[in-house]
């Protein structure tokens, strides 16, 4: 028991000594850090050793403490004799634990060889080198080490300044990434440029080829072909143009008007100006001068605008076809129709007279009377046809003239509807008429127009037997319309139905005809400064309407 007490007393004494030593060490470190002392005693195996800094200057220490860099002093065994607090926080240890431990502890395994080399050169001369540092929490930090050997009283030491390169390395990495991205972008731009160049080359080649091809084609076609720029100025004429007119491109540019017949010059140039302004297709017939004999021959000219993807006109391409022979042939035909229908009129009139005389005969046998009736009805049809032919040739000759006077259109319509009800007893004709529509015109001719519309409504309605007649005022216009629910016609046919001799394909089986009625009707209405229109749907029916200017005073 006594022995135990002695041991315990001994232990307490030793602990007390150790505590005093620790306190002393802490005070020493504090004194060094704050610059209060210039020397340090370290216990080594060979006994306690005293280390003093050669120029232990107070200002220096403060300065070293305030630096951003870590600073340590190592002895020749690479034991840390001195460390500033920055180094302690770099390695993530309390300052008190950093002093006295080997510096190599903070060097990762893979960098030991490099570190050894650096240290070796550091002992001999001021040197620098980059290395990785591993802190207490195994975080790897890139570091720049700067070595300077110091001659201290107790021998040579090595002062090491450690600059944390993390931020710099990060910046370098970022820069590297940015540079790589930049390089990538540059490469892809270069590639795109190359592709673009290839494309341009290809397009240029295509363009040249298509231009060559166009010229080849244009020069070898038996048609006059030309192109013009966006302002309408000629920039190409084909071989046929050159052969026909005798003008080359330069000559044509300035003297083009000399090629058109003086009587057609105004209408053709107005139409061309209008096409340019409205960016619409140009279409015109005019007489074009032939160089070989100076003859003005009729041509049908067309020009269409070329548009880019945005719809802007880039050029005009025009053609001109010699239609002189066809036109003359048509004129001869018209002349023949005119003469023939005129010549037919006299015998028809006398035929009609003889039939009337026969009708007056009493005690005619019944079959003969019925033959006379049939002959009369055929004669009426024939007369109508001859009248239409005469009208057509009059229109062509510009001689469709008639006297005009003011009359009530609604009264005329009412009368015609009444007649039609008698003529077509199987049809239901509904009237929606506005009274008192005073117009100026030729009553007979307007009746001809209206009856033609009713006759057509009957002819082209094989199944539905309803017809609606309307008349009303529309602003300054009097309007009359005939609606049927018959075969109707396509939009395409509606465009041509008022043209001479036009018949809708497939209507022949319904009724024979020559396609003159609507042409004559439209010319009569045109002569009255009115308009005629059609609205139709295939298999649903049609609405034909005409408009005449109302006479205001009434
Ligand atoms: P046609 O003597 O041939 O009837 P028109 O000039 O009167 O001559 O008419 C021209 C063509 O228009 C006709 O052949 C016919 O095909 C078409 N047409 C005219 N009216 C109608 C209508 N109401 N319904 C359908 N087609 C019509």
């Amino acid at each position: 028991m006594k022995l135990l007490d002695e041991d315990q007393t001994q232990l307490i004494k030793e602990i007390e000594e150790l505590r005093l030593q620790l306190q002393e060490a802490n005070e020493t470190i504090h004194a060094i850090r704050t610059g209060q002392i210039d020397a340090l005693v370290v216990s080594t195996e060979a006994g306690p050793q005293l280390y003093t800094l050669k120029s232990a200057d107070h200002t220096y220490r403060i300065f070293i403490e305030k630096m951003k860099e870590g600073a340590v002093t190592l002895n020749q065994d690479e034991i840390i004799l001195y460390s500033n607090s920055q180094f302690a926080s770099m390695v993530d240890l309390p300052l008190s634990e950093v002093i006295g431990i080997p510096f190599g502890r903070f060097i990762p395994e893979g960098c030991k060889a490099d570190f050894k080399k650096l240290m070796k050169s550091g002992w001999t001369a001021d040197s620098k080198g980059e290395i990785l540092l591993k802190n207490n929490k195994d975080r790897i930090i890139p570091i720049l080490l700067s070595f300077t050997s110091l001659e201290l009283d107790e021998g040579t030491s090595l002062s090491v300044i450690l600059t944390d390169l993390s931020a710099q390395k990060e910046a370098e990495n970022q820069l590297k990434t940015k540079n790589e991205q930049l390089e990538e972008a540059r490469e892809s731009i270069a590639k795109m440029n190359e592709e673009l160049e290839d494309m341009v080359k290809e397009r240029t080649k295509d363009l040249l080829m298509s231009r060559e091809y166009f010229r080849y084609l244009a020069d070898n076609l038996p048609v006059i072909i030309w192109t013009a720029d966006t302002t309408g100025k000629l920039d190409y004429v084909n071989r046929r143009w050159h052969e026909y007119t005798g003008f080359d491109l330069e000559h044509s540019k300035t003297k083009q008007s000399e090629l058109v017949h003086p009587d057609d010059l105004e209408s053709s140039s107005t139409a061309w100006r209008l096409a340019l302004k409205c960016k619409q297709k140009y279409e015109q017939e005019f007489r074009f001068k032939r160089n070989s004999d100076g003859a003005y021959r009729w041509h049908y000219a067309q020009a269409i605008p070329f548009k880019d993807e945005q719809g802007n006109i880039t050029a005009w391409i025009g053609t001109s076809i010699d239609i002189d022979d066809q036109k003359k042939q048509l004129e001869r035909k018209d002349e023949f129709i005119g003469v023939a229908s005129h010549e037919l009129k006299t015998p028809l009139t006398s035929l009609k007279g003889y039939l009337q005389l026969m009708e007056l005969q009493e005690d005619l046998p019944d079959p003969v009377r019925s033959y006379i009736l049939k002959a009369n009805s055929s004669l009426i049809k024939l007369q109508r046809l001859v009248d239409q032919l005469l009208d057509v040739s009059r229109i062509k000759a510009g001689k469709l003239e008639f006297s005009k006077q003011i009359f009530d259109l609604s009264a005329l319509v009412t009368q015609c509807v009444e007649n039609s009800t008698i003529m077509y007893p199987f049809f239901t004709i509904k009237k929606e008429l506005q009274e008192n529509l005073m117009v100026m015109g030729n009553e007979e001719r307007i009746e001809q127009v209206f009856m033609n519309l009713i006759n057509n409504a009957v002819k082209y309605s094989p199944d539905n037997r309803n017809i609606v007649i309307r008349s009303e005022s529309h602003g300054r216009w009097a309007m009359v319309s005939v609606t049927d629910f018959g075969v109707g016609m396509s939009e395409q046919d509606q465009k041509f139905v008022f043209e001479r001799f036009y018949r809708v394909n497939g209507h022949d089986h319904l009724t024979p005809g020559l396609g003159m009625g609507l042409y004559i009707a439209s010319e009569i209405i045109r002569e009255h400064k009115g308009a005629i229109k059609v609205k139709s749907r295939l298999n649903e029916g049609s609405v034909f309407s005409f408009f005449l200017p109302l006479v205001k005073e009434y």
Side-chain angles (χ1 to χ4, degrees):
M1 198 62 199
K2 192 174 180 246
L3 194 69
L4 253 175
D5 280 351
E6 275 174 15
D7 284 351
Q8 196 179 6
T9 318
Q10 181 62 29
L11 268 172
I12 290 168
K13 200 176 152 199
E14 277 175 21
I15 287 169
E16 183 56 23
E17 267 174 25
L18 282 171
R19 200 184 58 75
L20 283 172
Q21 273 176 18
L22 186 66
Q23 189 184 345
E24 190 184 356
N26 273 341
E27 279 169 4
T28 313
I29 288 165
H30 181 74
I32 291 170
R33 280 180 58 208
T34 53
Q36 290 164 19
I37 62 160
D38 295 336
L40 172 70
V41 178
V42 175
S43 301
T44 65
E45 277 174 11
Q49 271 197 343
L50 181 71
Y51 292 91
T52 52
L53 294 171
K54 265 198 169 161
S55 56
D57 175 31
H58 178 75
T59 336
Y60 256 158
R61 292 192 188 196
I62 299 268
F63 179 59
I64 284 171
E65 271 310 304
K66 297 286 175 205
M67 311 197 311
K68 274 204 303 202
E69 286 82 3
V72 289
T73 309
L74 308 179
N75 70 7
Q76 280 173 345
D77 298 325
E78 293 166 17
I79 300 290
I80 300 172
L81 301 179
Y82 167 77
S83 158
N84 68 352
S85 42
Q86 190 56 34
F87 177 74
S89 62
M90 249 181 202
V91 294
D92 209 0
L93 276 174
L95 188 57
S96 55
E97 286 180 36
V98 175
I99 307 293
I101 58 173
F103 187 84
R105 196 191 124 175
F106 303 111
I107 303 299
E109 217 39 60
C111 302
K112 292 253 194 242
D114 288 343
F115 177 67
K116 232 185 195 127
K117 254 193 238 163
L118 277 172
M119 286 293 282
K120 205 173 162 197
S121 51
W123 283 110
T124 48
D126 282 4
S127 60
K128 282 184 181 183
E130 282 183 23
I131 199 98
L132 294 176
L133 199 76
K134 187 174 79 173
N135 77 1
N136 199 36
K137 289 196 177 141
D138 289 343
R139 189 166 80 86
I140 302 291
I141 310 162
I143 294 285
L144 174 73
L145 296 177
S146 308
F147 299 99
T148 309
S149 62
L150 302 166
E151 281 309 322
L152 301 176
D153 294 344
E154 50 289 307
T156 316
S157 305
L158 193 64
S159 142
V160 188
I161 304 288
L162 299 99
T163 312
D164 187 343
L165 298 178
S166 302
Q168 186 187 329
K169 288 282 172 203
E170 179 61 19
E172 270 175 22
N173 276 345
Q174 277 183 8
L175 201 69
K176 201 172 150 214
T177 318
K178 287 269 172 316
N179 274 340
E180 278 167 7
Q181 286 172 349
L182 212 67
E183 184 58 20
E184 257 173 46
R186 201 195 58 74
E187 272 170 18
S188 69
I189 286 174
K191 202 168 152 225
M192 263 159 65
N193 266 345
E194 264 170 39
E195 283 172 3
L196 209 68
E197 263 174 40
D198 285 352
M199 215 151 87
V200 169
K201 268 187 212 153
E202 201 59 31
R203 288 266 163 94
T204 317
K205 201 173 121 205
D206 282 357
L207 202 69
L208 284 173
M209 270 176 64
S210 65
R211 209 171 265 178
E212 280 304 303
Y213 185 68
F214 168 77
R215 292 214 161 174
Y216 178 80
L217 203 71
D219 278 343
N220 287 286
L221 282 175
V223 191
I224 287 174
I225 297 175
W226 50 268
T227 61
D229 65 14
T230 49
T231 64
K233 218 180 249 164
L234 276 180
D235 54 16
Y236 166 78
V237 292
N238 76 339
R239 193 185 298 156
R240 179 87 188 112
W241 169 296
H242 187 59
E243 285 166 357
Y244 183 88
T245 62
F247 282 12
D248 61 11
L249 177 63
E250 284 315 307
H251 212 149
S252 306
K253 274 183 186 169
T254 49
K255 304 256 161 70
Q256 199 181 347
S257 55
E258 289 177 16
L259 296 169
V260 180
H261 191 285
D263 291 350
D264 304 334
L265 193 57
E266 199 184 321
S267 59
S268 65
S269 48
T270 308
W272 178 227
R273 273 199 303 274
L274 205 70
L276 283 174
K277 195 174 161 212
C278 305
K279 301 177 177 175
Q280 297 285 351
K281 181 179 170 185
Y282 163 79
E283 223 172 344
Q284 195 71 14
E285 281 183 15
F286 54 78
R287 280 158 287 180
F288 208 39
K289 195 174 177 181
R290 183 161 67 184
N291 181 45
S292 58
D293 56 0
Y296 283 101
R297 291 177 64 79
W298 279 102
H299 275 71
Y300 169 66
Q302 265 188 322
I304 46 161
F306 260 10
K307 292 182 183 169
D308 63 15
E309 280 154 12
Q310 283 77 45
N312 302 315
I313 294 183
T314 54
W316 288 83
I317 177 156
T319 55
S320 205
I321 303 169
D322 188 332
I323 53 163
D324 202 71
D325 293 341
Q326 291 94 314
K327 211 156 164 101
K328 292 217 168 94
Q329 224 168 15
L330 269 180
E331 271 167 18
R332 277 198 294 275
K333 244 189 237 168
D334 286 337
E335 231 169 86
F336 171 77
I337 290 173
V339 173
S341 47
H342 195 77
E343 290 303 314
L344 277 170
K345 241 189 125 75
T346 330
L348 275 180
T349 317
S350 56
L351 200 61
K352 196 168 182 185
Y354 285 123
L355 278 173
Q356 274 168 359
L357 282 178
M358 280 171 82
E359 262 182 321
L360 292 176
Q361 293 292 314
E362 285 167 16
D363 58 30
L364 271 180
D366 281 350
V368 175
R369 207 165 276 286
S370 87
Y371 297 151
I372 294 172
L373 215 69
K374 281 183 182 153
N376 250 327
S377 128
S378 296
L379 192 68
I380 288 168
K381 280 186 192 159
L382 198 60
Q383 255 182 332
R384 196 182 295 153
L385 203 64
V386 170
D387 283 343
Q388 281 191 333
L389 282 170
L390 262 176
D391 278 349
V392 168
S393 58
R394 276 194 201 116
I395 292 167
K396 284 314 290 174
K399 288 182 191 154
L400 191 71
E401 289 155 359
F402 31 75
S403 58
K404 290 179 190 151
Q405 61 196 41
I406 294 171
F407 68 94
D408 184 355
L409 183 62
S410 45
L412 173 73
V413 169
T414 311
Q415 184 59 51
C416 287
V417 172
E418 263 171 38
N419 295 345
S420 307
T421 317
I422 299 163
M423 276 165 70
Y424 305 115
F426 300 114
F427 274 79
T428 309
I429 304 178
K430 204 174 140 197
K431 301 179 283 183
E432 291 174 14
L433 306 179
Q434 182 181 323
E435 283 184 5
N436 199 24
L437 296 171
M438 303 309 288
V439 295
M440 165 75 90
N442 186 298
E443 210 169 340
E444 254 175 65
R445 286 297 192 177
I446 298 301
E447 180 182 341
Q448 183 185 346
V449 171
F450 183 52
M451 282 314 293
N452 189 65
L453 298 186
I454 294 187
N455 291 342
N456 280 353
V458 169
K459 282 198 294 187
Y460 300 106
S461 302
D463 300 324
N464 190 316
R465 301 190 165 224
N466 289 302
I467 292 173
V468 182
I469 311 290
R470 285 192 186 90
S471 71
E472 59 199 32
S473 59
H474 269 283
R476 58 185 195 91
W477 299 96
M479 189 280 297
V480 177
S481 71
V482 179
T483 304
D484 67 60
F485 306 91
V487 292
M489 68 185 89
S490 69
E491 280 201 18
Q492 186 65 10
D493 283 320
Q494 290 172 49
K495 286 185 199 158
F496 303 107
V497 90
F498 296 107
E499 283 188 9
R500 192 160 59 128
F501 306 129
Y502 187 84
R503 300 209 76 213
V504 174
N505 222 349
H507 282 185
D508 285 345
H509 73 279
L510 294 169
T511 167
L514 289 177
M516 290 187 287
L518 289 179
Y519 168 66
I520 297 167
S522 70
E523 287 297 320
I524 293 172
I525 296 294
R526 201 166 61 85
E527 271 294 306
H528 281 79
K529 305 214 173 358
I532 185 163
K533 290 176 182 174
V534 58
K535 256 192 196 168
S536 183
R537 266 175 183 269
L538 211 53
N539 302 321
E540 287 184 22
S542 314
V543 185
F544 280 88
S545 24
F546 65 87
F547 298 76
L548 293 174
L550 278 168
V551 179
K552 282 193 190 123
E553 295 86 77
Y554 280 80

